[in-house]
Amino acid sequence: MAIRNVLRMGDARLWQSAEPVSHFDTQQLHALLVDLRDTMQALDGAGLAAPQIGVALRVVIFGVEHNSRYPDAESVPVTVLINPVITPLGEAMEEDWEGCLSVPGLRGLVPRHAHIRYQGQDEYGALIDRSVSGFHARVVQHECDHLDGILYPMRIRDMTQFGYNEELFPGREMQDE
Ligand code: NI
């Protein structure tokens, strides 16, 4: 078990484009995934990308189990996604609030494609191919942006809709994602 330090916005490594994974089911890849899972769980995140712990590979994990504190939150299957390719399905965009473990304590209103298809592989090289909408689609787009050096504040259209959790949502307990 290794909880890794999550890089924060300003660290130049977060602006880099990550490299594709070429070998699957290796000791190094499994060790990376243990660290990603441990770190995401410890920080109660919805997703985490390898570049956020300083590893420049195209690997993300995400997943949201049903949470009794947030009964309305949609669940997202726990997923390892490697070398992802996202294809928007249709033109529809949706705005919603996002947070990020690399931008702690803040939230912003971010436009994302409402419907996407995403393809990639798991840690064993098995193909993943899903068409999803809403929160699931948002989480995937957010995490995959990290692989291209994009943090969600770069996508905010109206900077008045970006700020500290306590100011935007007084009295509400907010998680970093
Ligand atoms: Ni993030």
Side-chain angles (χ1 to χ4, degrees), residues 47-49 52 98-103 142-143 146 150-152 177:
L48 191 63
Q52 291 181 277
E98 294 188 14
C100 180
L101 295 173
S102 294
V103 193
H142 175 115
E143 295 311 326
H146 282 295
I150 298 167
L151 297 181
Y152 81 79
E177 282 157 12

Side-chain angles (χ1 to χ4, degrees), residues 154-166:
M154 298 156 79
R155 294 202 181 272
I156 295 171
R157 286 174 176 155
D158 175 358
M159 290 303 282
T160 69
Q161 304 299 299
F162 180 45
Y164 290 94
N165 291 330
E166 293 83 358

Side-chain angles (χ1 to χ4, degrees), residues 6 35 39 52 78 81 132 147 161:
V6 175
D35 286 0
T39 305
Q52 291 181 277
V78 173
L81 184 62
V132 302
L147 306 181
Q161 304 299 299

Side-chain angles (χ1 to χ4, degrees), residues 15 18 24-25 47-48 54 74-75 82 90-91 104 106 110 114-115 120-121 127-128 135 137 147 158 170 172:
W15 311 132
F24 292 84
D25 199 15
L48 191 63
E74 294 168 54
S75 67
I82 299 172
E91 303 287 304
L106 292 153
V110 182
H115 311 283
Q121 286 162 279
L127 297 176
I128 294 169
F135 182 58
L147 306 181
D158 175 358
R172 260 175 70 185

Side-chain angles (χ1 to χ4, degrees), residues 5-48:
N5 184 40
V6 175
L7 307 183
R8 295 194 303 173
M9 186 166 64
D11 189 306
R13 288 171 286 180
L14 289 170
W15 311 132
Q16 292 174 351
S17 219
E19 295 294 320
V21 170
S22 48
H23 299 285
F24 292 84
D25 199 15
T26 63
Q27 224 173 6
Q28 296 95 311
L29 185 55
H30 290 302
L32 169 62
L33 287 164
V34 169
D35 286 0
L36 283 170
R37 285 193 195 95
D38 288 348
T39 305
M40 187 175 93
Q41 275 169 18
L43 299 174
D44 212 9
L48 191 63

